Amino acid sequence: MATHELRRPFKRPAISDQQRRREISLQRQAQNRRDAQHQARCLASTILTLQPAQYEPAEPDLQLQSETELIPELEIESQEHRRDLRDIDDVRQASRLKGVEARQWFAKQLMLPEWMIDVPERLNTDWYVFARPAGKRCFVVSSNGTTISRLRNGSMLHRFPSALPSGARTSKSSHSGQSYCILDCIFHEPDQTYYVIDMVCWAGMSLYECTTEFRFFWLNSKLVETGACDAPSSYHKFRFSTVPIYNCDQEGLNAAYTGPVPYVKDGLLFCNKHAHYQSGNTPLILVWKDENCSQYVIDTDSKGQVPNKQQVVLELLFDGKLATSDDPPVIFGCLNEDFIQETGLQAGNLLRFAISDGGLSFVDGKLEKADLHYLGKPNRARAFADSYSKVIFQYTVRHSPLRIEHIYASISLSSEQGNKISDLDMAG
């Protein structure tokens, strides 16, 4: 049966609360927007009701009184917003950081996708999909007449002139402190190209709180205008390029999965249209792989070989617990104090384990037990532990993988349900 004819949704045992966390993330974003709008209304009401000192206030209006009761909560939100603005100011300064400070700062800035453990609801209407380029994920920052790219662990990849805003010292470029640019990219070595997968700031304007839908529109409309997509030149060392992005319906998924691209594919990236750009792991951006769209579906060891048993990297906490990089972290086990002292391990160390024959056990979508065997420390260049979704994705790939047919089937089912609802509305 052809994949587009599948109708039955794929069901697997509950191994994650990924859908619930997606809903919470979207609810949090919506609440932040409502709080900001409410704060503006309160501010406007306050300004409009200000009177000269000799004015004796009348009986308080009940509606205004109910709004002012919320001011303390709004002040907290305002403080959080100011912290976000300070973070953006730090971005301009971060291009001048060096050594450990620069690595530590940049290592915390990227928005990292979770791995697709289950198929999201409304995938065909609320999500984009595109083929992810193989290469080195990095932040590209142009500021003060230079451009710097930094890898996921914060280390510098390239320092070079570019056609990005304030990215090179030319007579035509702006060197204003307000003119800077931040792009989320993947550096594709075969053609020496930075493929831009997201836009974070452009010409000094922050896009952190803009939806994916807006950021992608802005990216595709602004990047070409600068000449950054042109061939390399004296003032533009590397070429930048966008990637083909599709609505995640049947046609879009098929184009991303099977369609030709000018780069080597490394899986598919699914992006929720309503998601804001936030640092760290998020369930609103998902990565998925199989053998047809990625060379490396199962993680390899330092020699490039697939190990007999799945390996995971976890962080040692102060109380001996072994945690993922999630916020909040997922605990996979605990080392006893004697073992920690014998091996000289310290809190904050990243440790590599193999999942032994006992495997992973789940209860109601939550990890109950993990059979871990200590292997040692990972490469020193590594900055983070594995995320919970990555561990589970790698585990299911070895046992019961989520296949492309299952994603096609979920999209088909959602489309049929949408058509039924439309038919009912028309009948009513």
Side-chain angles (χ1 to χ4, degrees):
M1 180 180 294
T3 55
H4 66 276
E5 295 176 353
L6 289 171
R7 292 293 183 267
R8 182 177 300 172
F10 175 68
K11 298 294 184 182
R12 64 165 68 232
I15 56 176
S16 170
D17 58 353
Q18 199 170 54
Q19 178 61 35
R20 182 183 65 84
R21 288 184 286 104
R22 278 192 286 268
E23 295 170 354
I24 291 175
S25 295
L26 290 172
Q27 290 171 3
R28 185 182 299 115
Q29 287 184 176
Q31 184 60 49
N32 289 341
R33 285 194 296 269
R34 286 194 295 268
D35 290 346
Q37 293 170 354
H38 188 73
Q39 181 181 1
R41 287 196 298 270
C42 288
L43 179 60
S45 299
T46 302
I47 293 175
L48 291 173
T49 55
L50 287 176
Q51 300 292 339
Q54 64 271 23
Y55 175 79
E56 293 296 329
E59 290 297 320
D61 183 87
L62 294 179
Q63 178 64 26
L64 290 177
Q65 184 178 14
S66 65
E67 289 182 349
T68 55
E69 290 174 354
L70 297 176
I71 287 179
E73 179 180 349
L74 294 173
E75 288 177 347
I76 295 175
E77 180 65 24
S78 177
Q79 293 171 1
E80 293 179 353
H81 181 63
R82 286 196 293 271
R83 282 198 294 271
D84 290 340
L85 294 179
R86 285 201 298 270
D87 288 343
I88 295 171
D89 290 338
D90 288 343
V91 169
R92 294 199 297 268
Q93 301 169 5
S95 62
R96 297 190 292 271
L97 294 176
K98 297 181 180 179
V100 176
E101 290 183 347
R103 291 195 296 272
Q104 291 177 344
W105 192 89
F106 277 97
K108 299 178 181 178
Q109 303 308 311
L110 282 171
M111 178 166 65
L112 305 176
E114 289 194 7
W115 292 69
M116 183 185 284
I117 301 172
D118 55 55
V119 181
E121 297 177 357
R122 298 178 298 277
L123 185 64
N124 62 321
T125 58
D126 291 358
W127 293 73
Y128 293 117
V129 62
F130 61 88
R132 187 173 72 161
K136 299 176 180 178
R137 178 84 182 278
C138 56
F139 249 154
V140 175
V141 179
S142 64
S143 178
N144 298 316
T146 190
T147 306
I148 295 175
S149 58
R150 289 190 177 271
L151 300 173
R152 180 182 169 183
N153 64 4
S155 61
M156 184 183 297
L157 177 59
H158 295 136
R159 179 191 292 270
F160 59 101
S162 76
L164 299 175
S166 197
R169 298 186 180 278
T170 66
S171 58
K172 297 181 180 180
S173 64
S174 170
H175 300 304
S176 168
Q178 299 298 321
S179 180
Y180 65 97
C181 176
I182 308 172
L183 300 178
D184 188 340
C185 301
I186 295 176
F187 182 67
H188 188 251
E189 292 192 24
D191 59 3
Q192 295 287 288
T193 298
Y194 280 95
Y195 286 94
V196 186
I197 61 174
D198 212 331
M199 179 180 283
V200 184
C201 294
W202 185 257
M205 186 177 73
S206 168
L207 302 178
Y208 276 95
E209 295 186 358
C210 298
T211 63
T212 303
E213 193 169 20
F214 180 84
R215 295 197 311 273
F216 282 1
F217 167 77
W218 203 256
L219 168 61
N220 284 281
S221 61
K222 293 295 183 182
L223 189 65
V224 177
E225 296 177 0
T226 64
C229 297
D230 297 343
S233 63
S234 300
Y235 298 102
H236 184 64
K237 185 174 181 179
F238 295 102
R239 188 173 71 91
F240 287 78
S241 179
T242 58
V243 298
I245 298 173
Y246 306 94
N247 289 313
C248 195
D249 50 23
Q250 293 277 356
E251 294 76 15
L253 177 60
N254 189 62
Y257 184 62
T258 64
V261 289
Y263 49 80
V264 178
K265 293 183 181 180
D266 186 28
L268 301 181
L269 207 61
F270 297 81
C271 305
N272 188 285
K273 295 180 179 180
H274 311 292
H276 295 173
Y277 196 98
Q278 60 186 57
S279 59
N281 300 318
T282 173
L284 299 179
I285 310 292
L286 301 171
V287 63
W288 174 89
K289 297 181 180 183
D290 72 358
E291 294 80 4
N292 294 322
C293 66
S294 177
Q295 183 180 359
Y296 301 104
V297 180
I298 298 180
D299 283 348
T300 58
D301 57 22
S302 58
K303 298 180 181 179
Q305 303 296 320
V306 175
N308 293 329
K309 296 182 179 180
Q310 180 184 349
Q311 297 182 6
V312 299
V313 175
L314 302 170
E315 181 181 356
L316 179 63
L317 303 183
F318 69 94
D319 55 0
K321 292 181 179 178
L322 301 168
T324 64
S325 61
D326 303 273
D327 184 17
V330 177
I331 304 302
F332 269 66
C334 186
L335 296 180
N336 62 58
E337 186 175 349
D338 292 339
F339 180 81
I340 294 175
Q341 292 180 350
E342 291 174 3
T343 53
L345 299 178
Q346 298 179 351
N349 286 163
L350 298 181
L351 309 178
R352 185 177 296 277
F353 296 86
I355 298 180
S356 297
D357 296 337
L360 305 178
S361 301
F362 305 92
V363 174
D364 296 330
K366 295 183 179 180
L367 181 70
E368 180 186 39
K369 184 174 60 176
D371 185 6
L372 301 177
H373 174 70
Y374 178 64
L375 298 177
K377 294 183 179 180
N379 190 302
R380 293 180 59 185
R382 178 145 188 165
F384 302 101
D386 286 330
S387 66
Y388 177 72
S389 64
K390 179 182 179 181
V391 175
I392 303 307
F393 183 90
Q394 289 291 317
Y395 186 76
T396 56
V397 162
R398 290 170 175 263
H399 298 86
S400 177
L402 177 65
R403 301 188 184 279
I404 191 67
E405 292 84 2
H406 306 142
I407 304 177
Y408 276 116
S410 293
I411 291 177
S412 180
L413 179 67
S414 297
S415 298
E416 288 182 354
Q417 292 174 341
N419 292 335
K420 290 180 179 178
I421 293 176
S422 299
D423 292 341
L424 289 174
D425 290 340
M426 293 179 64

